[in-house]
Amino acid sequence: MDVDLPRDLDPEVRADLVAREKAYCQGLQKAGTWVHIWRCVGQYANLSVFDVEDNEELHRVLWNLPLFPYMTIDVTPLARHPSDLAADDAGA
Amino acid sequence: MDVDLPRDLDPEVRADLVAREKAYCQGLQKAGTWVHIWRCVGQYANLSVFDVEDNEELHRVLWNLPLFPYMTIDVTPLARHPSDLAADDAGA
Amino acid sequence: MDVDLPRDLDPEVRADLVAREKAYCQGLQKAGTWVHIWRCVGQYANLSVFDVEDNEELHRVLWNLPLFPYMTIDVTPLARHPSDLAADDAGA
Amino acid sequence: MDVDLPRDLDPEVRADLVAREKAYCQGLQKAGTWVHIWRCVGQYANLSVFDVEDNEELHRVLWNLPLFPYMTIDVTPLARHPSDLAADDAGA
Amino acid sequence: MDVDLPRDLDPEVRADLVAREKAYCQGLQKAGTWVHIWRCVGQYANLSVFDVEDNEELHRVLWNLPLFPYMTIDVTPLARHPSDLAADDAGA
Amino acid sequence: MDVDLPRDLDPEVRADLVAREKAYCQGLQKAGTWVHIWRCVGQYANLSVFDVEDNEELHRVLWNLPLFPYMTIDVTPLARHPSDLAADDAGA
Amino acid sequence: MDVDLPRDLDPEVRADLVAREKAYCQGLQKAGTWVHIWRCVGQYANLSVFDVEDNEELHRVLWNLPLFPYMTIDVTPLARHPSDLAADDAGA
Amino acid sequence: MDVDLPRDLDPEVRADLVAREKAYCQGLQKAGTWVHIWRCVGQYANLSVFDVEDNEELHRVLWNLPLFPYMTIDVTPLARHPSDLAADDAGA
Amino acid sequence: MDVDLPRDLDPEVRADLVAREKAYCQGLQKAGTWVHIWRCVGQYANLSVFDVEDNEELHRVLWNLPLFPYMTIDVTPLARHPSDLAADDAGA
Amino acid sequence: MDVDLPRDLDPEVRADLVAREKAYCQGLQKAGTWVHIWRCVGQYANLSVFDVEDNEELHRVLWNLPLFPYMTIDVTPLARHPSDLAADDAGA
């Protein structure tokens, strides 16, 4: 997920967007949907792992991101790996 | 990490390689170095997260993969994300 | 799904592979898992739509394709479109 | 079909465009021309299948999309697959 | 249409293939299906225009090219251009 | 030749540009320079074949297109194909 | 690190940005963090090598670059090469 | 060297830029630094060969191009070819 | 023009090929057809400029290169640049 | 510089190649030509900086690498950066 905030964005609008994004992200972490989030070093981008029921839920989660209109998102479907010791349930 | 095993590989050599890869991977999981591994759906490939001291250690871990000569590997350095609730120590 | 059968493949092995692929594909069509399959014009490739429970099932379906070792597969997760009149359940 | 609506588009113009797009799309679904439409998860994009007489008709259909000026479209010609059980007539 | 004939191909097999390709191509030119063929300068490749009934016919024409197993083919659907004086019927 | 007219272009300027482009194109068709023009389906783009004396003439023709400042152009040099029955003189 | 300063940037703002970037860069050179910086010939871009404790520090260094909002950055993790005579400690 | 002059550039500013670019280019031709310049057919771009002392001089020459802020430049280092009859000294 | 000689090529065949290529190249230099040839630094590749009558001649020249079956060739049509002091006639 | 040693290479030939490569590399380090070499983490590849008189020398250095026939090399010309405190003479 790459973020590209326009540089002429009003500072207040920007601060509000970023704050809402953080709250939204942490709400989904508490709910167990947003399983992992890492910062990609040197980029305004992250690598995230979601645990969702199906594609409908994943699209709803992403579409409602406050920063969605400014993002480029690549989705890679993941499944459990046969060598994985931790039989966790991480989804897409 | 994409794997491309030659199709004319001797079946015994192949089985041995895959078994050694699995043992190597699970040993590093137990040691806490290989933090996550997921299968990329529909591909002989995985997405993994490692927690290492430095670049030297990461290179040593990857270079010694039994399947290393058959792999194409992209490394994306990751850091903690400011929105991450779980202050875990996952590294590169 | 692009298929690249080696040109020096034994003709009998090839015929057997292609026949097993077709049977496998049609079995999954009858089961409602392989919802659509089209030929990409001018290419040994197809565009397919699957309706699966989750990523685990999709990976199992693709991994067991008789032609899997000869294929390059791109997976695009799909969801229902808000403009879609037919509220079908087609998945990934 | 990727959609890239300018973020500074007047909200009323935008709402009108999206509503006209939906009506246009559903009219073609009823006419049997727009056979399938799926949402690409995490993107303002869709994957669609059309059943048209010829290239002239397909171009007319796409060119007249209310959102056409904001879209990037890739067209992949499709034909019936020899393994397809359902002898449907889906076209391009 | 790029052609990549293996360099270790038996010279007789190669000569036979190329001769059959030429006969096939010229038969379709006489039938009015293969409307144009140009050589791409400096490449073992051509740019061709076909006039076909539908995608099924185009796929059949391409799939049966004697050199098909050695080719990489990109298909670009074409339609009449509004500025075209010659109202010809060239198809895909 | 892809065309990308800015969406905020004055409608009169735009109509004038498109009309001049059409006249220019048809003048060159009558002169035998612009041998073929096809619409690429679903795109504001065309595929054209020119018959010119040399590179100087081709550049002059393209540079003077009324829509040139809005175009992205790829030039593929073409030559007669040895399988071509119609010994036409189509150039670059 | 590619830099893309908008051409309509206020000249004073631009001069201030570039001066602060230079000071920031030279401060990190004195601290031994920014080990190398070269200009890529013919481009507003550089190739740099950093010696950092971990990914967190590298991200902090890059994120705080005065020109960060105008940059596109690719990070390639580096390790000591077995043929390197100078056993230096250059990091990422 | 691709040139992308903004279409809303003031016509006088544009004419001045282009005139200064031409004078700069011809001055370097007379000095023997700018050895060759060709127009890429159908594009606002050129292919040039420079004969310079070192990378520092080449960067200075390119950085000072009046159109530099509007250009995308790829530099390919060249050396004498063993088959070259003319033992000229063309550099980068 | 990139050259990719198979590494298992018989050394005598290879030496013969390379010698014939050099003779062919120098013959065309003397004839004024092969105007420039430079080595791309660090690659088994060259950058060449040809002065030919038309596309037919250029294709004949390239197709008959002894190393043609091992080459990947990109052709960029060139024309005189309006800033070029030397009104030479270099062609494609 | 990416290295792709064929997996069926005779182990003795391979060991000899790698040893000669290392000796060659360290000889050039001592001579001050091969200024830096780093391992790209997780890849059989390195990032190197050379200090050479001109393009001729750089090409000679690279062309004579024992592993040259197995390498893919990208050359990026570098120059001193205006922010560089260490006025070193690192070249290409």
Side-chain angles (χ1 to χ4, degrees), chain F residues 68-82:
Chain F
F68 182 79
Y70 307 100
M71 282 178 161
T72 307
I73 298 179
D74 279 325
V75 178
T76 304
L78 300 175
R80 189 176 310 169
H81 194 281

Side-chain angles (χ1 to χ4, degrees), chain E residues 23-46:
Chain E
Y24 180 83
C25 169
Q26 295 191 336
L28 286 167
Q29 285 182 64
K30 284 174 191 154
T33 303
W34 199 318
V35 184
H36 298 289
I37 180 168
W38 293 281
R39 170 66 77 207
C40 298
V41 169
Q43 306 187 322
Y44 197 169
N46 70 71

Side-chain angles (χ1 to χ4, degrees), chain G residues 4-84:
Chain G
D4 180 23
L5 286 178
R7 287 187 288 259
D8 57 356
L9 202 64
D10 182 272
E12 280 187 45
V13 173
R14 182 191 167 110
D16 175 61
L17 264 173
V18 171
R20 283 197 291 126
E21 179 81 12
K22 187 169 186 173
Y24 180 84
C25 169
Q26 295 191 336
L28 287 166
Q29 285 182 65
K30 284 174 193 154
T33 303
W34 198 320
V35 185
H36 298 290
I37 180 169
W38 293 282
R39 169 67 76 205
C40 298
V41 170
Q43 305 187 324
Y44 196 169
N46 69 71
L47 178 73
S48 290
V49 177
F50 295 89
D51 181 6
V52 292
E53 268 309 294
D54 51 23
N55 289 342
E56 309 296 331
E57 183 187 355
L58 180 56
H59 186 65
R60 209 164 43 235
V61 163
L62 297 173
W63 186 267
N64 290 321
L65 287 163
L67 290 176
F68 182 79
Y70 307 100
M71 282 179 161
T72 306
I73 299 179
D74 279 326
V75 179
T76 304
L78 300 175
R80 189 177 310 169
H81 193 282
S83 299
D84 190 5

Side-chain angles (χ1 to χ4, degrees), chain A residues 2-35:
Chain A
D2 292 293
V3 183
D4 180 24
L5 285 180
R7 288 188 287 259
D8 56 357
L9 202 64
D10 182 272
E12 279 188 45
V13 173
R14 182 191 167 109
D16 175 60
L17 265 174
V18 172
R20 283 197 291 126
E21 180 80 13
K22 187 169 185 173
Y24 180 83
C25 169
Q26 295 191 335
L28 286 167
Q29 285 182 65
K30 285 174 191 154
T33 303
W34 199 319
V35 184

Side-chain angles (χ1 to χ4, degrees), chain H residues 21-85:
Chain H
E21 178 82 12
K22 187 170 185 172
Y24 180 83
C25 168
Q26 296 191 335
L28 287 166
Q29 286 182 64
K30 284 174 191 153
T33 303
W34 198 319
V35 185
H36 298 290
I37 180 168
W38 292 281
R39 169 67 76 206
C40 299
V41 170
Q43 305 187 323
Y44 196 168
N46 70 71
L47 178 73
S48 289
V49 177
F50 294 90
D51 181 7
V52 292
E53 267 309 293
D54 51 22
N55 289 342
E56 309 296 332
E57 183 186 355
L58 181 57
H59 185 65
R60 209 163 44 234
V61 162
L62 296 174
W63 187 267
N64 290 321
L65 286 163
L67 290 176
F68 182 79
Y70 307 100
M71 282 178 161
T72 306
I73 299 179
D74 279 325
V75 179
T76 303
L78 300 174
R80 189 176 310 167
H81 193 281
S83 299
D84 190 4
L85 287 180

